[in-house]
């Protein structure tokens, strides 16, 4: 599975388990750095950083000040579920 899809899946699960509605979508309620996300996935920080940037460019995630916001959980689910 591609790294960006693994990240999307992990963020979707975190938003389900630890998310709170906010004006811009669903906020994952704890600080989650790129480094910590990389450790959770067993990937390099640089790789995860590039892939989060890609997801951001697609409008699937917002990463600001150590917090992730998922604007549309269904869209994110569709992204990582697609073949």
């Amino acid at each position: 599975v591609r790294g960006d899809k693994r990240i999307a899946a992990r963020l979707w699960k975190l938003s389900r388990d630890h998310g709170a509605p906010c004006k811009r979508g669903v906020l994952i309620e704890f600080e989650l750095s790129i480094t910590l996300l990389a450790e959770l996935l067993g990937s390099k920080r640089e790789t995860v950083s590039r892939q989060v940037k890609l997801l951001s460019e697609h409008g699937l995630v917002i990463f600001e000040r150590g917090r992730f916001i998922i604007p549309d959980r269904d869209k994110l689910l569709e992204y990582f579920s697609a073949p």
Side-chain angles (χ1 to χ4, degrees), residues 26-62:
V26 177
L27 170 69
I28 296 175
E29 292 190 298
F30 59 90
E31 280 195 43
L32 179 62
S33 67
I34 297 294
T35 303
L36 179 57
L37 184 58
E39 289 174 8
L40 289 171
L41 295 165
S43 298
K44 292 183 179 180
R45 185 196 58 76
E46 296 84 1
T47 303
V48 171
S49 180
R50 280 192 299 273
Q51 292 167 339
V52 166
K53 183 178 178 188
L54 175 72
L55 294 172
S56 294
E57 289 171 356
H58 286 293
L60 297 170
V61 301
I62 299 168

Side-chain angles (χ1 to χ4, degrees), residues 8-20 26-30 70 73 76-77 80:
R10 180 59 58 107
L11 291 173
W12 183 87
K13 288 176 187 171
L14 288 170
S15 72
R16 179 192 64 200
D17 297 341
H18 303 283
V26 177
L27 170 69
I28 296 175
E29 292 190 298
F30 59 90
I70 311 303
R73 291 186 71 243
L76 190 63
L77 175 65
F80 74 79

